[in-house]
mmCIF file of all heavy atoms in Angstrom:
data_model
loop_
_atom_site.group_PDB
_atom_site.id
_atom_site.type_symbol
_atom_site.label_atom_id
_atom_site.label_comp_id
_atom_site.label_asym_id
_atom_site.label_seq_id
_atom_site.Cartn_x
_atom_site.Cartn_y
_atom_site.Cartn_z
ATOM 1 N N GLU A 214 -43.146 21.461 59.636
ATOM 2 C CA GLU A 214 -42.997 21.254 61.081
ATOM 3 C C GLU A 214 -41.522 21.245 61.490
ATOM 4 O O GLU A 214 -40.652 20.839 60.733
ATOM 5 C CB GLU A 214 -43.643 19.933 61.493
ATOM 6 C CG GLU A 214 -45.164 19.960 61.430
ATOM 7 C CD GLU A 214 -45.707 19.801 60.027
ATOM 8 O OE1 GLU A 214 -44.913 19.542 59.094
ATOM 9 O OE2 GLU A 214 -46.936 19.944 59.854
ATOM 10 N N ARG A 215 -41.304 21.649 62.733
ATOM 11 C CA ARG A 215 -39.941 21.730 63.273
ATOM 12 C C ARG A 215 -39.753 20.734 64.414
ATOM 13 O O ARG A 215 -40.698 20.398 65.121
ATOM 14 C CB ARG A 215 -39.645 23.143 63.789
ATOM 15 C CG ARG A 215 -39.692 24.204 62.703
ATOM 16 C CD ARG A 215 -39.485 25.600 63.282
ATOM 17 N NE ARG A 215 -39.591 26.624 62.265
ATOM 18 C CZ ARG A 215 -38.563 27.061 61.529
ATOM 19 N NH1 ARG A 215 -37.343 26.557 61.734
ATOM 20 N NH2 ARG A 215 -38.741 27.985 60.611
ATOM 21 N N THR A 216 -38.528 20.297 64.593
ATOM 22 C CA THR A 216 -38.162 19.499 65.749
ATOM 23 C C THR A 216 -37.865 20.457 66.902
ATOM 24 O O THR A 216 -37.756 21.669 66.702
ATOM 25 C CB THR A 216 -36.933 18.625 65.420
ATOM 26 O OG1 THR A 216 -35.898 19.449 64.864
ATOM 27 C CG2 THR A 216 -37.292 17.548 64.401
ATOM 28 N N PRO A 217 -37.764 19.952 68.142
ATOM 29 C CA PRO A 217 -37.585 20.860 69.284
ATOM 30 C C PRO A 217 -36.395 21.811 69.177
ATOM 31 O O PRO A 217 -36.415 22.888 69.774
ATOM 32 C CB PRO A 217 -37.405 19.883 70.459
ATOM 33 C CG PRO A 217 -38.214 18.690 70.067
ATOM 34 C CD PRO A 217 -37.996 18.560 68.578
ATOM 35 N N ASP A 218 -35.373 21.438 68.397
ATOM 36 C CA ASP A 218 -34.217 22.336 68.272
ATOM 37 C C ASP A 218 -34.453 23.454 67.268
ATOM 38 O O ASP A 218 -33.568 24.286 67.020
ATOM 39 C CB ASP A 218 -32.960 21.550 67.896
ATOM 40 C CG ASP A 218 -33.054 20.901 66.527
ATOM 41 O OD1 ASP A 218 -34.110 21.011 65.883
ATOM 42 O OD2 ASP A 218 -32.074 20.260 66.107
ATOM 43 N N GLY A 219 -35.636 23.493 66.656
ATOM 44 C CA GLY A 219 -35.968 24.574 65.732
ATOM 45 C C GLY A 219 -35.737 24.269 64.275
ATOM 46 O O GLY A 219 -36.069 25.078 63.403
ATOM 47 N N THR A 220 -35.170 23.111 63.965
ATOM 48 C CA THR A 220 -34.899 22.731 62.582
ATOM 49 C C THR A 220 -36.138 22.107 61.960
ATOM 50 O O THR A 220 -36.830 21.326 62.611
ATOM 51 C CB THR A 220 -33.746 21.708 62.524
ATOM 52 O OG1 THR A 220 -32.610 22.244 63.197
ATOM 53 C CG2 THR A 220 -33.378 21.373 61.092
ATOM 54 N N THR A 221 -36.423 22.432 60.698
ATOM 55 C CA THR A 221 -37.553 21.786 60.055
ATOM 56 C C THR A 221 -37.209 20.337 59.714
ATOM 57 O O THR A 221 -36.059 20.005 59.418
ATOM 58 C CB THR A 221 -37.978 22.506 58.760
ATOM 59 O OG1 THR A 221 -36.969 22.360 57.766
ATOM 60 C CG2 THR A 221 -38.258 23.978 59.020
ATOM 61 N N VAL A 222 -38.225 19.493 59.760
ATOM 62 C CA VAL A 222 -38.037 18.078 59.435
ATOM 63 C C VAL A 222 -37.573 17.926 57.992
ATOM 64 O O VAL A 222 -36.700 17.104 57.685
ATOM 65 C CB VAL A 222 -39.336 17.291 59.672
ATOM 66 C CG1 VAL A 222 -39.200 15.853 59.184
ATOM 67 C CG2 VAL A 222 -39.705 17.314 61.154
ATOM 68 N N TRP A 223 -38.120 18.733 57.091
ATOM 69 C CA TRP A 223 -37.738 18.661 55.676
ATOM 70 C C TRP A 223 -36.251 18.969 55.525
ATOM 71 O O TRP A 223 -35.507 18.220 54.873
ATOM 72 C CB TRP A 223 -38.584 19.659 54.880
ATOM 73 C CG TRP A 223 -38.435 19.588 53.378
ATOM 74 C CD1 TRP A 223 -37.435 18.992 52.664
ATOM 75 C CD2 TRP A 223 -39.333 20.141 52.408
ATOM 76 N NE1 TRP A 223 -37.640 19.142 51.322
ATOM 77 C CE2 TRP A 223 -38.805 19.844 51.129
ATOM 78 C CE3 TRP A 223 -40.521 20.866 52.493
ATOM 79 C CZ2 TRP A 223 -39.428 20.256 49.950
ATOM 80 C CZ3 TRP A 223 -41.139 21.261 51.312
ATOM 81 C CH2 TRP A 223 -40.602 20.958 50.067
ATOM 82 N N PHE A 224 -35.799 20.069 56.141
ATOM 83 C CA PHE A 224 -34.382 20.434 56.021
ATOM 84 C C PHE A 224 -33.488 19.338 56.607
ATOM 85 O O PHE A 224 -32.455 18.995 56.031
ATOM 86 C CB PHE A 224 -34.123 21.757 56.724
ATOM 87 C CG PHE A 224 -32.702 22.241 56.592
ATOM 88 C CD1 PHE A 224 -32.227 22.703 55.378
ATOM 89 C CD2 PHE A 224 -31.839 22.202 57.680
ATOM 90 C CE1 PHE A 224 -30.912 23.138 55.244
ATOM 91 C CE2 PHE A 224 -30.522 22.636 57.554
ATOM 92 C CZ PHE A 224 -30.057 23.107 56.344
ATOM 93 N N ARG A 225 -33.910 18.785 57.726
ATOM 94 C CA ARG A 225 -33.105 17.741 58.368
ATOM 95 C C ARG A 225 -32.902 16.550 57.438
ATOM 96 O O ARG A 225 -31.887 15.865 57.511
ATOM 97 C CB ARG A 225 -33.803 17.293 59.661
ATOM 98 C CG ARG A 225 -33.056 16.253 60.468
ATOM 99 C CD ARG A 225 -33.739 16.006 61.799
ATOM 100 N NE ARG A 225 -33.775 17.213 62.614
ATOM 101 C CZ ARG A 225 -32.733 17.702 63.275
ATOM 102 N NH1 ARG A 225 -31.575 17.062 63.243
ATOM 103 N NH2 ARG A 225 -32.847 18.804 63.977
ATOM 104 N N ASN A 226 -33.870 16.316 56.556
ATOM 105 C CA ASN A 226 -33.812 15.124 55.720
ATOM 106 C C ASN A 226 -33.403 15.388 54.277
ATOM 107 O O ASN A 226 -33.574 14.533 53.410
ATOM 108 C CB ASN A 226 -35.159 14.391 55.777
ATOM 109 C CG ASN A 226 -35.311 13.640 57.084
ATOM 110 O OD1 ASN A 226 -34.789 12.553 57.254
ATOM 111 N ND2 ASN A 226 -36.021 14.236 58.030
ATOM 112 N N ILE A 227 -32.819 16.583 54.024
ATOM 113 C CA ILE A 227 -32.152 16.815 52.737
ATOM 114 C C ILE A 227 -30.771 17.451 52.915
ATOM 115 O O ILE A 227 -30.017 17.560 51.952
ATOM 116 C CB ILE A 227 -32.996 17.694 51.785
ATOM 117 C CG1 ILE A 227 -33.373 19.040 52.404
ATOM 118 C CG2 ILE A 227 -34.241 16.946 51.329
ATOM 119 C CD1 ILE A 227 -32.461 20.182 52.069
ATOM 120 N N ALA A 228 -30.427 17.826 54.153
ATOM 121 C CA ALA A 228 -29.205 18.623 54.347
ATOM 122 C C ALA A 228 -28.161 17.985 55.249
ATOM 123 O O ALA A 228 -27.088 18.546 55.422
ATOM 124 C CB ALA A 228 -29.579 20.000 54.910
ATOM 125 N N ARG A 229 -28.457 16.819 55.812
ATOM 126 C CA ARG A 229 -27.504 16.256 56.777
ATOM 127 C C ARG A 229 -26.152 15.972 56.115
ATOM 128 O O ARG A 229 -26.064 15.590 54.956
ATOM 129 C CB ARG A 229 -28.067 14.988 57.397
ATOM 130 C CG ARG A 229 -28.254 13.841 56.431
ATOM 131 C CD ARG A 229 -28.612 12.559 57.177
ATOM 132 N NE ARG A 229 -28.811 11.465 56.254
ATOM 133 C CZ ARG A 229 -29.954 10.795 56.097
ATOM 134 N NH1 ARG A 229 -31.005 11.110 56.815
ATOM 135 N NH2 ARG A 229 -30.031 9.824 55.222
ATOM 136 N N GLY A 230 -25.119 16.193 56.915
ATOM 137 C CA GLY A 230 -23.783 15.855 56.465
ATOM 138 C C GLY A 230 -23.192 16.791 55.430
ATOM 139 O O GLY A 230 -22.124 16.523 54.889
ATOM 140 N N LYS A 231 -23.869 17.916 55.145
ATOM 141 C CA LYS A 231 -23.371 18.849 54.140
ATOM 142 C C LYS A 231 -22.719 20.064 54.808
ATOM 143 O O LYS A 231 -22.843 20.267 56.013
ATOM 144 C CB LYS A 231 -24.524 19.316 53.242
ATOM 145 C CG LYS A 231 -25.236 18.204 52.487
ATOM 146 C CD LYS A 231 -26.381 18.748 51.638
ATOM 147 C CE LYS A 231 -27.131 17.647 50.922
ATOM 148 N NZ LYS A 231 -28.236 18.180 50.073
ATOM 149 N N ARG A 232 -22.050 20.853 53.998
ATOM 150 C CA ARG A 232 -21.542 22.132 54.461
ATOM 151 C C ARG A 232 -22.322 23.255 53.773
ATOM 152 O O ARG A 232 -22.850 23.070 52.689
ATOM 153 C CB ARG A 232 -20.054 22.272 54.151
ATOM 154 C CG ARG A 232 -19.193 21.248 54.874
ATOM 155 C CD ARG A 232 -17.727 21.639 54.820
ATOM 156 N NE ARG A 232 -17.133 21.429 53.505
ATOM 157 C CZ ARG A 232 -15.946 21.944 53.129
ATOM 158 N NH1 ARG A 232 -15.266 22.710 53.960
ATOM 159 N NH2 ARG A 232 -15.464 21.689 51.928
ATOM 160 N N SER A 233 -22.408 24.405 54.428
ATOM 161 C CA SER A 233 -23.180 25.525 53.901
ATOM 162 C C SER A 233 -22.275 26.693 53.543
ATOM 163 O O SER A 233 -21.506 27.184 54.369
ATOM 164 C CB SER A 233 -24.218 25.993 54.925
ATOM 165 O OG SER A 233 -24.808 27.216 54.500
ATOM 166 N N LEU A 234 -22.399 27.124 52.284
ATOM 167 C CA LEU A 234 -21.701 28.323 51.813
ATOM 168 C C LEU A 234 -22.749 29.361 51.446
ATOM 169 O O LEU A 234 -23.559 29.154 50.540
ATOM 170 C CB LEU A 234 -20.849 27.998 50.576
ATOM 171 C CG LEU A 234 -20.287 29.193 49.794
ATOM 172 C CD1 LEU A 234 -19.315 30.005 50.656
ATOM 173 C CD2 LEU A 234 -19.626 28.729 48.498
ATOM 174 N N LYS A 235 -22.757 30.467 52.169
ATOM 175 C CA LYS A 235 -23.641 31.589 51.852
ATOM 176 C C LYS A 235 -22.971 32.407 50.757
ATOM 177 O O LYS A 235 -21.820 32.851 50.922
ATOM 178 C CB LYS A 235 -23.870 32.435 53.108
ATOM 179 C CG LYS A 235 -24.801 33.605 52.920
ATOM 180 C CD LYS A 235 -25.089 34.304 54.241
ATOM 181 C CE LYS A 235 -23.853 35.003 54.777
ATOM 182 N NZ LYS A 235 -24.157 35.834 55.963
ATOM 183 N N LEU A 236 -23.674 32.628 49.622
ATOM 184 C CA LEU A 236 -22.991 33.260 48.491
ATOM 185 C C LEU A 236 -23.962 34.107 47.676
ATOM 186 O O LEU A 236 -25.041 33.651 47.286
ATOM 187 C CB LEU A 236 -22.382 32.174 47.596
ATOM 188 C CG LEU A 236 -21.368 32.625 46.556
ATOM 189 C CD1 LEU A 236 -20.164 33.281 47.227
ATOM 190 C CD2 LEU A 236 -20.916 31.446 45.707
ATOM 191 N N ASN A 237 -23.559 35.336 47.390
ATOM 192 C CA ASN A 237 -24.316 36.244 46.534
ATOM 193 C C ASN A 237 -23.784 36.130 45.111
ATOM 194 O O ASN A 237 -22.722 36.667 44.786
ATOM 195 C CB ASN A 237 -24.198 37.679 47.043
ATOM 196 C CG ASN A 237 -24.970 38.663 46.184
ATOM 197 O OD1 ASN A 237 -25.712 38.275 45.275
ATOM 198 N ND2 ASN A 237 -24.794 39.951 46.455
ATOM 199 N N LEU A 238 -24.534 35.458 44.247
ATOM 200 C CA LEU A 238 -24.080 35.267 42.872
ATOM 201 C C LEU A 238 -24.412 36.449 41.971
ATOM 202 O O LEU A 238 -24.122 36.404 40.768
ATOM 203 C CB LEU A 238 -24.684 33.976 42.309
ATOM 204 C CG LEU A 238 -24.109 32.687 42.899
ATOM 205 C CD1 LEU A 238 -24.838 31.470 42.356
ATOM 206 C CD2 LEU A 238 -22.617 32.584 42.609
ATOM 207 N N LYS A 239 -25.025 37.489 42.525
ATOM 208 C CA LYS A 239 -25.220 38.719 41.752
ATOM 209 C C LYS A 239 -24.017 39.648 41.901
ATOM 210 O O LYS A 239 -23.951 40.696 41.251
ATOM 211 C CB LYS A 239 -26.498 39.415 42.208
ATOM 212 C CG LYS A 239 -27.753 38.608 41.877
ATOM 213 C CD LYS A 239 -29.019 39.317 42.275
ATOM 214 C CE LYS A 239 -30.242 38.470 41.904
ATOM 215 N NZ LYS A 239 -31.510 39.130 42.293
ATOM 216 N N ASP A 240 -23.099 39.270 42.757
ATOM 217 C CA ASP A 240 -21.835 39.995 42.942
ATOM 218 C C ASP A 240 -20.754 39.270 42.146
ATOM 219 O O ASP A 240 -20.552 38.065 42.340
ATOM 220 C CB ASP A 240 -21.491 40.017 44.435
ATOM 221 C CG ASP A 240 -20.225 40.792 44.742
ATOM 222 O OD1 ASP A 240 -19.428 41.040 43.811
ATOM 223 O OD2 ASP A 240 -20.004 41.123 45.921
ATOM 224 N N PRO A 241 -20.055 39.941 41.242
ATOM 225 C CA PRO A 241 -18.999 39.279 40.474
ATOM 226 C C PRO A 241 -17.976 38.555 41.341
ATOM 227 O O PRO A 241 -17.438 37.515 40.939
ATOM 228 C CB PRO A 241 -18.351 40.429 39.698
ATOM 229 C CG PRO A 241 -19.443 41.450 39.562
ATOM 230 C CD PRO A 241 -20.232 41.344 40.836
ATOM 231 N N ALA A 242 -17.737 39.083 42.530
ATOM 232 C CA ALA A 242 -16.789 38.414 43.430
ATOM 233 C C ALA A 242 -17.347 37.074 43.897
ATOM 234 O O ALA A 242 -16.596 36.108 44.096
ATOM 235 C CB ALA A 242 -16.483 39.312 44.631
ATOM 236 N N GLY A 243 -18.675 36.987 44.088
ATOM 237 C CA GLY A 243 -19.295 35.724 44.454
ATOM 238 C C GLY A 243 -19.221 34.722 43.327
ATOM 239 O O GLY A 243 -18.964 33.526 43.550
ATOM 240 N N VAL A 244 -19.435 35.193 42.104
ATOM 241 C CA VAL A 244 -19.315 34.313 40.938
ATOM 242 C C VAL A 244 -17.898 33.781 40.819
ATOM 243 O O VAL A 244 -17.676 32.585 40.580
ATOM 244 C CB VAL A 244 -19.723 35.066 39.650
ATOM 245 C CG1 VAL A 244 -19.419 34.231 38.411
ATOM 246 C CG2 VAL A 244 -21.198 35.424 39.705
ATOM 247 N N GLU A 245 -16.928 34.660 40.992
ATOM 248 C CA GLU A 245 -15.528 34.226 40.886
ATOM 249 C C GLU A 245 -15.168 33.214 41.966
ATOM 250 O O GLU A 245 -14.463 32.236 41.705
ATOM 251 C CB GLU A 245 -14.602 35.447 40.977
ATOM 252 C CG GLU A 245 -13.110 35.119 40.947
ATOM 253 C CD GLU A 245 -12.674 34.346 39.702
ATOM 254 O OE1 GLU A 245 -13.353 34.464 38.656
ATOM 255 O OE2 GLU A 245 -11.662 33.621 39.783
ATOM 256 N N LEU A 246 -15.697 33.394 43.176
ATOM 257 C CA LEU A 246 -15.426 32.425 44.232
ATOM 258 C C LEU A 246 -16.012 31.065 43.861
ATOM 259 O O LEU A 246 -15.363 30.023 44.032
ATOM 260 C CB LEU A 246 -16.014 32.912 45.555
ATOM 261 C CG LEU A 246 -15.978 31.919 46.728
ATOM 262 C CD1 LEU A 246 -14.560 31.420 46.989
ATOM 263 C CD2 LEU A 246 -16.556 32.558 47.979
ATOM 264 N N LEU A 247 -17.237 31.056 43.329
ATOM 265 C CA LEU A 247 -17.842 29.782 42.949
ATOM 266 C C LEU A 247 -17.046 29.110 41.836
ATOM 267 O O LEU A 247 -16.821 27.884 41.868
ATOM 268 C CB LEU A 247 -19.288 30.001 42.499
ATOM 269 C CG LEU A 247 -20.071 28.732 42.163
ATOM 270 C CD1 LEU A 247 -20.194 27.823 43.386
ATOM 271 C CD2 LEU A 247 -21.463 29.075 41.635
ATOM 272 N N LEU A 248 -16.574 29.880 40.866
ATOM 273 C CA LEU A 248 -15.781 29.300 39.776
ATOM 274 C C LEU A 248 -14.446 28.764 40.289
ATOM 275 O O LEU A 248 -13.963 27.727 39.809
ATOM 276 C CB LEU A 248 -15.562 30.341 38.674
ATOM 277 C CG LEU A 248 -16.818 30.729 37.883
ATOM 278 C CD1 LEU A 248 -16.505 31.875 36.926
ATOM 279 C CD2 LEU A 248 -17.372 29.532 37.117
ATOM 280 N N LYS A 249 -13.860 29.438 41.262
ATOM 281 C CA LYS A 249 -12.610 28.929 41.839
ATOM 282 C C LYS A 249 -12.860 27.611 42.566
ATOM 283 O O LYS A 249 -12.051 26.679 42.494
ATOM 284 C CB LYS A 249 -12.003 29.966 42.792
ATOM 285 C CG LYS A 249 -11.359 31.145 42.089
ATOM 286 C CD LYS A 249 -10.686 32.079 43.072
ATOM 287 C CE LYS A 249 -9.427 31.451 43.680
ATOM 288 N NZ LYS A 249 -8.367 31.265 42.686
ATOM 289 N N LEU A 250 -13.988 27.530 43.286
ATOM 290 C CA LEU A 250 -14.329 26.273 43.952
ATOM 291 C C LEU A 250 -14.581 25.165 42.927
ATOM 292 O O LEU A 250 -14.212 24.009 43.142
ATOM 293 C CB LEU A 250 -15.570 26.458 44.817
ATOM 294 C CG LEU A 250 -15.396 27.297 46.083
ATOM 295 C CD1 LEU A 250 -16.751 27.649 46.685
ATOM 296 C CD2 LEU A 250 -14.534 26.560 47.101
ATOM 297 N N ALA A 251 -15.179 25.537 41.802
ATOM 298 C CA ALA A 251 -15.477 24.548 40.763
ATOM 299 C C ALA A 251 -14.202 23.976 40.140
ATOM 300 O O ALA A 251 -14.237 22.873 39.586
ATOM 301 C CB ALA A 251 -16.354 25.170 39.685
ATOM 302 N N GLU A 252 -13.122 24.681 40.235
ATOM 303 C CA GLU A 252 -11.868 24.192 39.661
ATOM 304 C C GLU A 252 -11.424 22.878 40.292
ATOM 305 O O GLU A 252 -10.759 22.066 39.651
ATOM 306 C CB GLU A 252 -10.775 25.254 39.820
ATOM 307 C CG GLU A 252 -10.995 26.488 38.960
ATOM 308 C CD GLU A 252 -9.955 27.567 39.234
ATOM 309 O OE1 GLU A 252 -9.037 27.316 40.061
ATOM 310 O OE2 GLU A 252 -10.059 28.655 38.633
ATOM 311 N N THR A 253 -11.785 22.673 41.537
ATOM 312 C CA THR A 253 -11.379 21.441 42.228
ATOM 313 C C THR A 253 -12.574 20.552 42.562
ATOM 314 O O THR A 253 -12.434 19.600 43.324
ATOM 315 C CB THR A 253 -10.622 21.784 43.522
ATOM 316 O OG1 THR A 253 -11.448 22.594 44.361
ATOM 317 C CG2 THR A 253 -9.319 22.523 43.219
ATOM 318 N N ALA A 254 -13.736 20.875 42.008
ATOM 319 C CA ALA A 254 -14.922 20.067 42.270
ATOM 320 C C ALA A 254 -15.043 18.947 41.242
ATOM 321 O O ALA A 254 -14.436 18.974 40.171
ATOM 322 C CB ALA A 254 -16.170 20.946 42.240
ATOM 323 N N ASP A 255 -15.842 17.964 41.590
ATOM 324 C CA ASP A 255 -16.135 16.858 40.680
ATOM 325 C C ASP A 255 -17.527 16.973 40.072
ATOM 326 O O ASP A 255 -17.747 16.586 38.926
ATOM 327 C CB ASP A 255 -16.027 15.527 41.434
ATOM 328 C CG ASP A 255 -14.644 15.288 41.988
ATOM 329 O OD1 ASP A 255 -13.758 14.928 41.201
ATOM 330 O OD2 ASP A 255 -14.453 15.475 43.210
ATOM 331 N N VAL A 256 -18.472 17.485 40.871
ATOM 332 C CA VAL A 256 -19.872 17.547 40.450
ATOM 333 C C VAL A 256 -20.429 18.926 40.764
ATOM 334 O O VAL A 256 -20.149 19.496 41.827
ATOM 335 C CB VAL A 256 -20.708 16.462 41.167
ATOM 336 C CG1 VAL A 256 -22.184 16.560 40.764
ATOM 337 C CG2 VAL A 256 -20.166 15.069 40.874
ATOM 338 N N PHE A 257 -21.222 19.444 39.835
ATOM 339 C CA PHE A 257 -21.878 20.740 39.993
ATOM 340 C C PHE A 257 -23.353 20.524 39.702
ATOM 341 O O PHE A 257 -23.719 20.026 38.633
ATOM 342 C CB PHE A 257 -21.270 21.735 38.996
ATOM 343 C CG PHE A 257 -21.649 23.178 39.188
ATOM 344 C CD1 PHE A 257 -20.738 24.081 39.702
ATOM 345 C CD2 PHE A 257 -22.898 23.645 38.817
ATOM 346 C CE1 PHE A 257 -21.065 25.435 39.861
ATOM 347 C CE2 PHE A 257 -23.245 24.980 38.969
ATOM 348 C CZ PHE A 257 -22.319 25.876 39.491
ATOM 349 N N VAL A 258 -24.224 20.886 40.653
ATOM 350 C CA VAL A 258 -25.659 20.658 40.510
ATOM 351 C C VAL A 258 -26.385 21.995 40.622
ATOM 352 O O VAL A 258 -26.108 22.784 41.540
ATOM 353 C CB VAL A 258 -26.194 19.693 41.593
ATOM 354 C CG1 VAL A 258 -27.697 19.472 41.418
ATOM 355 C CG2 VAL A 258 -25.451 18.360 41.547
ATOM 356 N N GLU A 259 -27.298 22.249 39.678
ATOM 357 C CA GLU A 259 -28.115 23.466 39.765
ATOM 358 C C GLU A 259 -29.529 23.149 39.335
ATOM 359 O O GLU A 259 -29.765 22.227 38.562
ATOM 360 C CB GLU A 259 -27.515 24.593 38.917
ATOM 361 C CG GLU A 259 -27.493 24.357 37.432
ATOM 362 C CD GLU A 259 -28.739 24.855 36.712
ATOM 363 O OE1 GLU A 259 -29.585 25.516 37.358
ATOM 364 O OE2 GLU A 259 -28.879 24.569 35.520
#
């Protein structure tokens, strides 16, 4: 189900306060970008 603004209730209750990075990990350039971000990250979850 969605709220009047079009967002699903499920998404609203797992995604608040986060940032979104759209990334194609089948592209080597996308993999390299993720690894560069990981250089300064503390936690990596998959």
